[in-house]
Amino acid sequence: MSESLVLSSQSGAVRTLTLNRPAALNSFTTGLHGQLMEALDAAADDAQVRCLVLTGASRGFCAGQDLADPAVAPDPVPGAAPKDLGDVIERHYRPLVLRLRSMPVPVVAAVNGVAAGAGANLALACDLVLAARSASFIQAFAKIGLVPDTAGTWLLPRLVGRAQALGLALLGDKLPAADAERIGLIWRCVDDAVLQDEAQALAQRLAAMPVKALVATRRALDAAQSMDLEQALTEEVRLQRKLGASHDYLEGVAAFMAKRPPQFTDR
Ligand code: T3D
């Protein structure tokens, strides 16, 4: 039987996926990529799942690409042909980000420890990022002669602006979680002891909300980045027309009028 590189658990409508290569700080191998994609697809296809939590086993969240993986490690033989890293990115990291951003449910990253390289941007590609106070974010790419990938070039300036994005990407320094919260890179930093409980509570809260509208909100905010005001307003018309005809909208208004808690079911 193959090793479980991604652990999956379910609590109510919340699915939690745990990256599980702790000896190498949950860094990515081809095997981990394959299992994570499978787990994300399974969560997307399961109507019982209304929110996803992504976290890491043991002391790290994810140290990015496993640099010891023979598929990517430079061949030490002088004159050896370079590995095609573009191929690795195209086959694994690009689809991973697109999968995350098209999940039909909100995704919470519970960053339990260091998140470096592609591991940092994996977390930042999630909808809400909650990090333990001892966690940190490192754009490690420049230190090994690469550019930020896993959507780092797109995410960083949008999250924190060009000045901070360049500072993080060019220097590759370790950014403690509290500073990541301060500059707006992540949603919240919490004490280590409560991280997983807080992440589960946040996920349960999101799961009880109108998930379809939450996902439409994520998409609208992303899409508006490349729209002018008029286009964004037009898109809001389209989305509100669609959501206004949904069960969840009827239920939300009915529950408000009846002063009772809503029961949202759309996904
Ligand atoms: O290459 C391509 O295919 C293109 C794709 C690129 C995407 C990327 O993600 S590029 C960036 C890759 N990641 C890094 O450069 C980060 C490398 N790791 C570190 O800088 C440090 O490990 C950390 C700052 C993340 C943590 O430091 P520390 O002191 O807390 O832990 P450590 O002792 O360095 O690591 C613990 C173990 O994990 C250690 O193994 P050992 O000595 O106990 O057997 C270390 O080698 C291993 N480890 C950590 N990161 C990686 C790794 N092994 C393989 N690949 C890693 N990325």
Side-chain angles (χ1 to χ4, degrees):
M1 217 174 70
S2 65
E3 229 180 329
S4 290
L5 303 177
V6 176
L7 307 176
S8 177
S9 63
Q10 182 86 16
S11 169
V14 174
R15 174 80 45 93
T16 299
L17 301 180
T18 304
L19 307 178
N20 187 37
R21 294 191 67 236
L25 299 180
N26 306 315
S27 55
F28 275 107
T29 54
T30 308
L32 176 54
H33 273 296
Q35 290 191 26
L36 181 56
M37 262 315 223
E38 265 177 38
L40 290 171
D41 285 344
D45 291 345
D46 187 341
Q48 303 305 312
V49 176
R50 293 178 58 82
C51 187
L52 187 73
V53 176
L54 192 58
T55 191
S58 195
R59 77 174 177 92
F61 175 73
C62 175
Q65 173 63 42
D66 185 325
L67 298 173
D69 185 341
V72 302
D75 193 331
V77 175
K83 298 277 166 55
D84 183 353
L85 296 191
D87 185 54
V88 176
I89 303 297
E90 196 161 24
R91 276 192 298 123
H92 298 300
Y93 292 101
R94 185 177 190 278
L96 174 58
V97 173
L98 293 176
R99 171 72 281 189
L100 270 178
R101 296 296 267 217
S102 63
M103 285 299 285
V105 297
V107 183
V108 173
V111 181
N112 52 301
V114 65
N121 295 337
L122 169 72
L124 300 181
C126 295
D127 296 318
L128 292 179
V129 186
L130 206 58
R133 205 163 295 284
S134 68
S136 55
F137 296 81
I138 310 174
Q139 294 295 321
F141 307 91
K143 288 182 171 171
I144 55 169
L146 298 177
V147 297
D149 59 32
T150 316
T153 58
W154 191 88
L155 289 165
L156 290 171
R158 283 172 168 79
L159 288 167
V160 294
R162 186 174 188 272
Q164 293 288 344
L166 275 172
L168 294 171
L170 297 186
L171 301 173
D173 287 340
K174 184 180 274 201
L175 183 74
D179 292 337
E181 180 191 305
R182 183 179 51 77
I183 67 171
L185 189 71
I186 65 168
W187 169 240
R188 288 284 183 269
C189 162
V190 298
D191 289 339
D192 287 28
V194 298
L195 173 72
Q196 298 300 348
D197 286 350
E198 293 267 341
Q200 290 294 321
L202 181 62
Q204 295 290 354
R205 182 176 156 198
L206 291 166
M209 292 177 72
V211 159
K212 200 184 230 179
L214 304 187
V215 169
T217 301
R218 170 217 291 152
R219 289 190 184 136
L221 289 180
D222 285 351
Q225 300 290 336
S226 56
M227 291 177 182
D228 62 24
L229 176 63
E230 265 191 57
Q231 290 168 324
L233 289 167
T234 302
E235 182 61 2
E236 289 173 8
V237 171
R238 188 186 74 78
L239 287 170
Q240 230 55 321
R241 179 168 289 134
K242 190 169 155 207
L243 291 167
S246 69
H247 163 271
D248 279 356
Y249 172 65
L250 294 179
E251 169 61 9
V253 175
F256 174 78
M257 298 309 284
K259 300 187 189 301
R260 63 167 172 81
Q263 291 291 327
F264 295 116
T265 54
D266 283 346
R267 211 198 78 159

